């Protein structure tokens, strides 16, 4: 069976978390099973983008046209990788066998990057002793660029890899994440770009037998930021936790198209994305596709998206899609809600003497920090809490 | 010495069928150190009174007055009422994701006092109060009411009562859903706060059970949005034996 995507909607009267989305009549049904989408590494294999395609219809295509169509600078994207025992870091050739093992481009901007990059940055975790690695990307300029990154956790390896994006960039890239058997890998893609930056990132995850992948997208800064994680639970007992956090200010477009593919039996997925929108033209898109394949018996999946609307003039799209090809599953569910403050939360805090402004800050902060608390690294959590506080300082909550 | 005075209070709510008057002329005076029990059947307006005192936006005051030491409570914001010394222990405390108990309580205390509490003594006070309410110290780092059992939520309300030190507290069905052990812990907590701070208490309840542990000075029977009868503790005993039936004939209570 398959369920129809929901009609994108903003229900400003709704209570976040309390009101389920509805499957509106006349919603379009998917034209094909998610896994049958065309994929290729070659830019020329994809037709011109009109902006009406399923993949692009919610994206400001004109603002990213150069990344979709034009020649990109494929020289290594400036990155400083922190050194640690049990971590190998190298720039590898396009022809390296590791490239393309986690996925392949499914749209023209990703294929453009795939066609243009000269060398891929490969970071490999090899030890069971947990390590933390930071890929620090701060030094770029406004030249349209392509990049390719491969993050691998060898069997039973454990660690956290942070892709720390700051500064100025116009970047289309592909990131491959491979969690080999029994590994426990967390990858955080952190977008704190400058205001004018544009970033399109397709991130492909492959989770092998009994491995655990936690994938986190945090998008706070940038003009147009579109990070699309696709995670394939390819080995039995694989576990994927996909978390996301975004805060769109006036004029900012933050998009995430999430795809979880349960291929193997007894796989588990949890998708939790939370966003806040504030200011004229603040725009967010969340699409959550979950496909439970024919062989993926005994799987358990749940995906949810929550958006908190802090001002007028914003738009949040939230579209969960669930396809199930086997009758034998342990659980599958999805939820989506977009709305303003929960008045009962505010009443409770204010009844204890906390003034309205402070109460609203606490609620927004709590709403978002809920996701931060799930990352599992105190230092990064503290940094993100501080970043959220900075975002909130700019908010004249009404 | 503080006094909460409610005079000829009429309150309505908006329903799909239009405006509906719930309170129809309530008169009450609560002084520091006094415990007033408000008893009444479901739908008599007890919770409406509690939420109106706290300033919940759902309730519209049609006429009448509420004053605290002569100050117009109805003119105050929700948080202004708390800063003036009012407290509502809620029947259904809400869960607030991502806001820890310790952050919440410290923020509330800072708002009430106008300055942050001294860290060391504050932590000691918080721990002491939680321990007295039989709440493990780990609750301080959990999100407000998230995943708390019904009893834990009520005990958390009393921890707040103890730490925030209001002048007058309204306890809205604090006894509902508590087993006898939790009821004792909660009652002891209320009695301790009364003893230490001279708190005035407006105790709203459907049942007489909690009145075995918190002795009321006055009992008010609430029927159809107004006080139908008043007396001392003996009135509660009478209600225990007779129920509310004799008040209900011909009234529109559902």
């Amino acid at each position: 069976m398959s369920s129809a995507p929901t009609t994108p909607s903003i229900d400003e009267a709704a209570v976040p978390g309390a009101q389920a989305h509805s499957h509106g009549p006349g919603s379009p049904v998917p034209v094909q099973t998610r896994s049958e989408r065309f994929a290729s590494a070659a830019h020329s294999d994809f037709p011109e983008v009109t902006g009406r395609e399923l993949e692009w219809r919610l994206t400001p295509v004109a603002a990213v046209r150069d990344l979709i169509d034009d020649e990109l600078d494929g020289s290594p994207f400036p990155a400083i990788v922190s050194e640690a025992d049990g971590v190998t870091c190298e720039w590898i050739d396009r022809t390296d066998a590791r490239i393309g093992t986690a996925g392949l481009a499914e749209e023209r901007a990703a294929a453009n990057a795939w066609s243009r990059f000269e060398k891929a940055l490969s970071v490999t975790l090899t030890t069971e002793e947990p390590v933390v690695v930071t890929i620090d990307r701060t030094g770029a300029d406004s030249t349209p660029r392509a990049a390719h990154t491969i993050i691998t956790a060898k069997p039973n390896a454990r660690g956290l890899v942070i892709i720390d994006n700051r500064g100025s960039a116009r970047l289309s890239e592909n990131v491959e994440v491979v969690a080999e058997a029994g590994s426990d890998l967390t990858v955080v893609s952190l977008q704190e770009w400058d205001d004018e930056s544009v970033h399109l990132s397709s991130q492909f995850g492959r989770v092998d037998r009994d491995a655990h992948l936690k994938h986190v997208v945090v998008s706070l800064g940038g003009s147009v930021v579109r990070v699309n994680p696709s995670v394939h639970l390819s080995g039995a007992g694989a576990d994927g936790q996909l978390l996301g956090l975004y805060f769109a200010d006036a004029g900012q477009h933050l998009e995430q198209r999430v795809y979880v593919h349960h291929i193997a039996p007894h796989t588990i997925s949890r998708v939790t994305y939370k966003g806040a929108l504030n200011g004229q033209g603040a725009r967010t898109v969340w699409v959550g596709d979950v496909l439970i394949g024919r062989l993926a018996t005994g799987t358990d999946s749940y995906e949810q998206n929550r958006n908190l609307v802090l001002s007028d003039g914003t738009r949040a799209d939230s579209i969960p899609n669930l396809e199930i090809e086997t009758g034998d599953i342990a659980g599958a569910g999805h939820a989506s809600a977009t709305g303003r403050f929960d008045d009962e939360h505010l009443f409770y805090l204010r009844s204890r003497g906390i003034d309205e402004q402070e109460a609203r800050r606490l609620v927004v902060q709590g709403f978002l920090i809920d996701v931060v608390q799930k990352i599992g690294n105190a230092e990064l959590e503290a940094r993100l809490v501080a970043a959220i506080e900075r975002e909130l300082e700019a908010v004249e909550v009404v | 010495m503080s006094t909460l005075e409610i005079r000829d209070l009429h309150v309505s709510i908006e329903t799909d069928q239009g405006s509906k008057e719930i309170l129809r002329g309530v008169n009450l005076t609560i002084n520091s150190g006094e415990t007033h029990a408000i008893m009444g059947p479901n739908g008599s307006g007890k919770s409406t009174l509690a939420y109106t005192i706290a300033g919940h936006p759902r309730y519209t005051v049609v006429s009448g007055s509420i004053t605290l030491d002569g100050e117009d409570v109805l003119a105050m914001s929700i948080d202004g009422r708390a800063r003036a010394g009012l407290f509502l222990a809620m029947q259904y405390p809400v869960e607030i994701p991502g806001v820890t108990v310790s952050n919440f309580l410290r923020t509330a205390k800072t708002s009430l006092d106008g300055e942050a509490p001294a860290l060391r003594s504050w932590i000691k006070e918080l721990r002491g109060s939680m321990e007295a309410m039989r709440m493990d110290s780990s609750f301080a780092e959990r999100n407000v009411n998230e995943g708390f059992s019904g009893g834990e939520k009520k005990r958390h309300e009393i921890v707040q009562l103890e730490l925030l030190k209001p002048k007058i507290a309204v306890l809205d069905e604090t006894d509902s859903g508590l087993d006898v052990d939790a009821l004792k812990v909660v009652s002891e907590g209320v009695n301790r706060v009364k003893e230490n701070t001279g708190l005035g208490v407006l105790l709203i309840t459907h049942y007489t059970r909690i009145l075995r542990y918190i002795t009321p000075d006055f009992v008010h029977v609430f029927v159809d949005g107004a006080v139908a009868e008043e007396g001392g503790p003996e009135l509660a005993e009478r209600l225990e034996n007779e129920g509310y039936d004799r008040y209900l004939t011909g009234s529109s209570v559902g």
Side-chain angles (χ1 to χ4, degrees), chain B residues 109-207:
Chain B
K109 188 70 178 169
T110 304
S111 299
L112 292 171
D113 293 358
E115 58 176 354
L119 197 60
R120 192 175 298 224
S121 59
W122 167 250
I123 287 171
K124 197 177 159 202
E125 209 178 331
L126 173 61
R127 287 210 181 124
S129 180
M130 290 180 68
E131 197 178 316
M133 296 308 295
R134 314 268 204 283
M135 289 184 83
D136 189 88
S137 60
S138 64
F139 276 91
E141 293 315 313
R142 286 174 60 177
N143 293 332
V144 171
N145 294 323
E146 203 175 73
F148 289 21
S149 69
E152 285 160 353
K153 285 180 182 172
K154 297 298 177 70
R155 282 185 271 156
H156 179 219
E157 294 293 285
I158 304 306
V159 167
Q160 293 171 49
L161 176 70
E162 179 153 36
L163 293 171
L164 302 181
K165 300 186 172 48
K167 294 169 180 162
I168 306 283
V170 180
L171 310 183
D172 186 16
E173 308 222 5
T174 295
D175 52 335
S176 68
L178 294 184
D179 63 32
V180 69
D181 292 328
L183 183 64
K184 277 184 194 167
V185 170
V186 162
S187 301
E188 282 164 17
V190 173
N191 289 332
R192 188 171 62 248
V193 176
K194 276 186 63 182
E195 204 164 295
N196 293 340
T197 69
L199 178 74
V201 175
L202 187 59
L203 180 69
I204 292 174
T205 181
H206 185 83
Y207 304 103

Side-chain angles (χ1 to χ4, degrees), chain A residues 274 342-356 358 362-363 365-370 373, chain B residues 51 56 77-79 82-83 87-88 90 94-99 103-104 107-108 111 143 145 157 160:
Chain A
K274 283 186 159 189
D342 186 326
D343 287 338
E344 296 306 320
H345 288 172
L346 292 180
F347 176 71
Y348 190 78
L349 295 172
R350 295 185 66 194
S351 77
R352 301 316 187 224
I354 299 169
D355 70 41
E356 190 169 3
E358 181 75 18
L362 271 180
V363 171
Q365 203 177 314
F367 172 80
L368 296 171
I369 281 170
D370 191 38
Q373 289 172 338
Chain B
Y51 279 97
H56 195 287
S77 64
I78 301 164
D79 41 293
R83 290 194 295 272
F87 181 91
L88 169 62
M90 301 199 196
V94 294
E95 302 186 2
I96 306 182
V99 179
N103 184 19
F104 161 58
T107 306
S111 299
N143 293 332
N145 294 323
E157 294 293 285
Q160 293 171 49

Side-chain angles (χ1 to χ4, degrees), chain A residues 167-168 192-198 220-224 249 251-252 391:
Chain A
S168 172
E192 284 195 280
W193 298 112
D194 288 351
D195 290 344
E196 71 283 358
S197 293
V198 173
L220 302 174
S223 166
V224 177
D249 300 318
Q252 214 177 9
E391 291 279 341

